[in-house]
Structures are given as C-alpha cells and as structure tokens.
Amino acid sequence: MGPGPTILHADLDAFYASVEQLLTPQLRGRPIAVGGSPSGGVVLAASYEAKAFGVAGGMPGWRAARLCPDLVFVTGHVEKYQPIADRVMDVLADVTPLVERISIDEAFCDISGAQHLFGDAAAIGALVRHRVRQEVGLPISVGAARTKHLAKIASQVAKPDGLVVVPPGGERTFLDPLPVDLVWGVGPVTAQRLAARGIRTIGDLAATPSPVVERLLGHAVGHRLHAMAVDEDPRRVAGGRHAHSVGAQSALGRHRPTRELVRATLAHLADRVSRRLREGGRAGRTVTVRVRFTAMRSVTRSLTLTQPVATTLTLTEVAERLAWSAITDRAGAEITLLAVSVSRLCDQRVLQLELDLDPPDPWRPGSPPGAARWAVDASMDAIRTRFGRDAVGYAPALLTHRGMPDEFRELAEHEV
C-alpha cells in the first residue's frame, strides 16, 4: 500500500464571514453577508448560517435578502483579513516548512517530513485544526491524501470545520460517488455539459475514456479533468516559491466589445496589476491577455517585450492591442471576461535611464516618455498610500463600474 497520505489541504471555512463573526461576537451563529445590501450591491461572502438559505458569494444583495429575511449585511473589515490569514499560515509553517499558499485562505502542506514529530496525517490534521481554532479563533477544514487534487477534494468534503483523510487504496471508494463538480476546474457550464452525456459523478468521469472527454470539452481541459478523476496528479507541494506572474481578471456579464468597454476594463486591470508589481519592486516582460467569449470559449494572446514593464499606461496599451487581436478574430461575438497577467518577472526597484535616442518609445521604461510614465505612477502610488486608493487614478480605470471593491479582489487574487 505504500506510505500513508503525505499532503494536506487546509481551507478556512467561509473565511471573510467567519472573520466578521470573530471580530463581532454578536454576529456569531447568525446569517451574515459580507458586502451588498437589501437594496443592491453584490454579496462577497456568506456565513454558513446564510448559506443554509441559499445565499452565496456573487449574488445580488436584494436576492440574498429575499432568500434570508434575517440576513445581516456587514461592510467588512478588509484591513483585518490578511493579518488574520497570515497567522493561520504561521500555524501551518510550524508543522512543516513545505507550505504552498494558493490563496489568502487556503494552502497545501507536505507533511512527509513532519510525521515522525507529530504523528500520521490524521494526527497532524487534528493538530492544525485545534491550533487554528485556539490561537486564531477560526474554523478550518483539512483534507489529507497522497495527491494535491485528492487532498483538496477531501477538504471540500470535510466542510464545514471537519477533517477527512483518504487512506491509500481507498481513493476510488472515496471519489466515485462524489459529484463531478468537486473536480478542480469543473464549473457550472462544464458540469452541465458532462451531465448531458450522463456524467454526473467523479466515478462516471473516471469510467469515461479520456478521448471521449477530450472531444466533449477540448483536448487540454478534457485530458486534465479525466486525469484528475482517475487521481493522476504528479504535482508536488512547492513551498517557498517566488511568484512567476501577477494577474487580475474582471467578469463582464455578456457585452458586445466596444472600444470604451474594453479600454475601461483593461485600464482597471492594468492599474491593479502594475500597482502590485511596483509594490513588490518587480516588472515583467511578457504580457498575456485572456478574452472569454460566450459558451465559455477563451482566447489568449501574449507579447514578450524587449524590456520589463510595470507602468499602468504601457500595460494598458499592450493589453488593448492583444485583446483586440483576439476579439477581431471572432467578429460579432459577445465577451464575458477579460484578464491581464504579466510574467517573466524580474526585480525593478530603481529605473535605469537611457540616452535620449530617437524614436522615443514609451514602452521602453528608461526612455524619456517611459521614465515620465514611471514618475507619474510613483507619484500616484505615494498619494494612494497616504489618502487611499480612490484618491487619484487614470480616468478609464476610475470610471469603470466594479461590483466588488478592489480590496476584496486583491485579497482573492494570488500570484502563481
């Protein structure tokens, strides 16, 4: 049978809502929604008491209020979330140095070297849950298995506030009856496509030949999801790795791509991405834009620049060129999402100026126009640090409609 489970997936339960209940004891045991209001806005997170009524993140506030008349809306203590989540990660790091944080509230842990100190996977999972509850005050669910994908599914099954260990040899017994949407990457649309072919459980997906799934969902997606269903996941926990890219995305609903919509959305995304790059003293050479059309069809375009960039205007201009390259190929199609990411990162804490040579390309950071863009961004960063992120900005980005505050978006986005 080989060694027991060596990978944990730890996932804080209803994190934002749980933090609000931790900070305000009067809210404990009550259905609460973070964000939104009975008259509008968007629910960002819901407590388990609210989820019992069908309230969920991303739902309009008015609908949530109808589903749960006793729902309490809170604005959220955004500044508290990161420090509290970091304390949980410190608990995990006390158990093993191999911690791979994949978002603000979840992480994988390789416990193969920790078992001689703390016991088997079940004992370590119980220890983590006890310490997080006692030292931080939050519920956390833990799954343990021999692969990352299976450990993540186990933690979802363990919710809320539970522990599930999948023993070696028991993988199929555990996986087969579970709904297919527990597979990492299966969303509502993909689940509907699979259900139309009679594939409703993970066991159904595993029993379907991979070529059949690939014809249904596309080669890359179909191959990956089938591999997950049969628990083929060679990925290891990558503790302490540096970010390889920085990105952001915005769901749009369904819209025809106008110049105004695309520029405003990409300017907003570029502003978020470039600000995070500059905060970390980083810049990147490869810019990637993803455009999702209706029917969940996505097109990706990339451009590798001669020099790394981290300025908002340059990133916006590059992203626009790439986005329209994808949109033009599908003339007349509606778009539902835009995403921007920057990769091939390097350190750029200071800017090396160039000689004033023709032509003065603003995409070269050290050229006179490129340096001017850098100086403008640096000034805006300083103003935002002192007076708040909405104090100043580029007009297209500031005027973009946003259903979710940037503070929440940036907490949810992680660098991979």
Side-chain angles (χ1 to χ4, degrees), residues 343-378:
S343 57
R344 298 189 69 176
L345 304 184
C346 63
D347 291 332
Q348 193 184 70
R349 299 187 181 278
V350 295
L351 188 62
Q352 177 64 53
L353 299 179
E354 302 176 0
L355 295 175
D356 190 1
L357 302 175
D358 290 331
D361 184 0
W363 287 13
R364 296 202 318 268
S367 68
R373 291 182 172 190
W374 175 277
V376 169
D377 283 344

Side-chain angles (χ1 to χ4, degrees), residues 185-210:
V186 175
V189 174
T190 301
Q192 290 175 5
R193 288 186 182 178
L194 293 172
R197 297 296 183 94
I199 303 173
R200 295 180 172 82
T201 68
I202 298 178
D204 294 336
L205 182 57
T208 304
S210 182

Side-chain angles (χ1 to χ4, degrees), residues 19 36 42 59 70 72 74 124 126-127 149 172 188 196 198 212 337-338 369 373 378 397:
V19 170
V42 178
M59 178 179 291
D70 295 328
V72 179
V74 298
I124 293 176
L127 172 65
H149 174 249
R172 294 264 52 97
V212 175
L337 178 142
L338 289 171
R373 291 182 172 190

Side-chain angles (χ1 to χ4, degrees), residues 246-248 266-284 309-316 340-342 348 374 377 380-381 384 394 410:
V246 176
L266 292 177
H268 180 220
L269 297 176
D271 187 38
R272 285 158 49 192
V273 171
S274 61
R275 187 167 67 242
R276 288 162 59 194
L277 285 170
R278 294 190 300 271
E279 286 174 351
R282 307 278 275 171
V309 298
T311 53
T312 301
L313 277 178
T314 300
L315 184 53
T316 300
V340 176
S341 66
V342 177
Q348 193 184 70
W374 175 277
D377 283 344
M380 289 200 301
D381 291 342
R384 285 167 163 171
Y394 294 97
E410 291 170 5

Side-chain angles (χ1 to χ4, degrees), residues 29-41:
R30 300 181 64 185
I32 71 167
V34 181
S37 71
S39 59

Side-chain angles (χ1 to χ4, degrees), residues 10 83 91 180 190 232 251 316:
V91 171
V180 73
T190 301
E232 291 180 359
T316 300

Side-chain angles (χ1 to χ4, degrees), residues 293-314:
F293 298 88
T294 52
M296 300 297 288
R297 297 182 182 276
S298 294
V299 176
T300 300
R301 295 284 188 271
S302 297
L303 176 66
T304 297
L305 304 169
T306 58
Q307 298 184 42
V309 298
T311 53
T312 301
L313 277 178
T314 300

